[in-house]
Amino acid sequence: MGDFPRMVALLKTVRRVAVLSHINPEADCIGAALGLTIALQEQGRAAVAYNADPLPRALRFLPGAGDFVQADRLPGGLDCVVVVDSGTPERVGGLLTGVAAPVLNVDHHKGNTRFGTLNWVVPEASAAGEMVFHLLRALEHPISPPVATNLYAAVLTDTGSFHYKNTSPEALRVAAALVEAGAVPGQISASLYAQRDAGELRLLSRCLTTLTLSRDGRVAWMEVSAADLAEAGLGQDALEGFIDYPRSIAGVEVALLFRGLGGDGIRVSLRSRGRADVAAVAATFGGGGHHDAAGCRVPGELAAVRGAVLAAVERELASAGGGERG
Ligand SMILES: [Mn+2]
């Protein structure tokens, strides 16, 4: 439980609240942040969702997205700052710099550094959105359809559409309660997963030609260069879901996507199908995430980065045991 009761008590008293989520935002952190922001607004608080990065185009359908603020610094005079889905203060960019108000840390990353004034960290939670649901229940705040839509999008995406191991009974109970509160699963899934640009699929077809498997078939990876993205006229969020293809191959235990950042190193996304802890692999390169889904940014050229990361994946698979080569 940690500081949960004190967090609830504090949230009942505050007026001006900033709700922060992590850089390179995705639907869990944005859904959790917008859901909480809207609920606080419904209670008459002056709540605003801030992020150091822009809102991905694909998430603009979420209720409250129009009031989302991209900023480098927070305004003064805040009563509290809530940070969702972020394991370290650096994850919110520079937004916590110079903040005097109490910081409420609401997160489900196992490695969370408990950087808040009050910390509520639940690694078993499927999504930050699931945690915000429980927070609103504790605040006795009835969940409105706009809030339910945001929190459902958060749970849906962080469980990989209820495919991943974190699809717990609790995740499904919360999802059911959110549907009862007005979230419409078909509409939300269509908004998240059926709004692709044809250019994204052309980029995917190109990316699939780089698909490579390790000799034992347990590791599969694909690559995309900054030039590929630029040529397609697409941003990083065009790559959403690409990693599901190598991950879907029978026998694959770890899937990776290497993306060139044009002189800024290589961004590596990692997915495990259960045995390997890819968060541990990402952590050795300064990244983070969850047991089954993690990422890191590694300086250097693609070939060198790929070699180093694949070696670390092999070590992790070896130490995880249970396989033929255990
Ligand atoms: Mn999350």
Side-chain angles (χ1 to χ4, degrees):
M1 266 292 144
D3 299 329
F4 184 68
R6 288 167 65 201
M7 201 175 269
V8 173
L10 181 69
L11 280 173
K12 284 179 176 166
T13 67
V14 291
R15 216 190 78 73
R16 293 196 62 204
V17 185
V19 181
L20 312 189
S21 46
H22 60 73
I23 53 173
N24 301 316
E26 28 71 332
D28 181 33
C29 79
I30 294 294
L34 290 178
L36 179 60
T37 301
I38 295 169
L40 291 170
Q41 289 168 351
E42 288 168 348
Q43 295 192 335
R45 323 300 174 79
V48 179
Y50 295 92
N51 196 294
D53 280 339
L55 188 70
R57 181 187 303 270
L59 299 181
R60 285 188 200 155
F61 78 95
L62 289 169
D67 298 330
F68 169 96
V69 176
Q70 184 195 359
D72 297 325
R73 286 282 182 278
L74 293 181
L78 294 165
D79 297 323
C80 88
V81 177
V82 184
V83 182
V84 299
D85 202 34
S86 306
T88 65
E90 292 75 33
R91 286 288 282 154
V92 298
L95 286 176
L96 285 174
T97 309
V99 164
V103 172
L104 313 192
N105 173 8
V106 174
D107 184 34
H108 67 136
H109 290 87
K110 201 163 60 176
N112 187 292
T113 59
R114 287 164 219 264
F115 56 86
T117 314
L118 297 175
N119 299 287
W120 180 40
V121 179
V122 183
E124 301 75 34
S126 67
E130 181 184 317
M131 296 181 69
V132 168
F133 173 86
H134 289 297
L135 189 55
L136 296 179
R137 275 278 166 93
L139 286 165
E140 293 171 40
H141 182 79
I143 306 232
S144 66
V147 173
T149 299
N150 274 292
L151 301 185
Y152 184 91
V155 174
L156 181 72
T157 52
D158 249 24
T159 58
S161 299
F162 306 116
H163 288 202
Y164 297 162
K165 206 171 59 177
N166 64 352
T167 306
S168 61
E170 190 56 25
L172 293 166
R173 272 192 289 268
V174 168
L178 292 170
V179 173
E180 277 167 348
V184 182
Q187 275 176 23
I188 296 169
S189 293
S191 300
L192 284 167
Y193 300 120
Q195 301 295 329
R196 295 208 94 127
D197 183 282
E200 291 177 23
L201 292 199
R202 289 190 197 102
L203 182 65
L204 172 64
S205 74
R206 194 161 170 168
C207 192
L208 286 168
T209 64
T210 70
L211 176 67
T212 313
L213 268 83
S214 62
R215 203 177 289 239
D216 62 9
R218 297 199 294 175
V219 184
W221 61 94
M222 302 197 306
E223 299 164 5
V224 59
S225 69
D228 289 338
L229 272 175
E231 207 174 294
L234 297 167
Q236 290 285 334
D237 50 351
L239 303 172
E240 190 68 42
F242 281 21
I243 198 168
D244 295 335
Y245 291 91
R247 188 183 175 276
S248 70
I249 299 168
V252 163
E253 299 201 32
V254 176
L256 303 96
L257 180 66
F258 297 94
R259 347 177 164 180
L261 299 172
D264 253 350
I266 308 294
R267 172 145 189 89
V268 188
S269 303
L270 302 102
R271 297 289 182 276
S272 168
R273 284 173 58 177
R275 209 159 60 78
D277 179 1
V278 291
V281 175
T284 63
F285 296 95
H290 301 286
H291 184 279
D292 289 348
C296 52
R297 192 159 102 181
V298 188
E301 296 300 322
L302 177 59
V305 170
R306 183 180 55 214
V309 174
L310 291 176
V313 167
E314 288 299 340
R315 282 195 298 276
E316 169 57 24
L317 275 170
S319 73
E324 288 161 28
R325 290 156 193 243

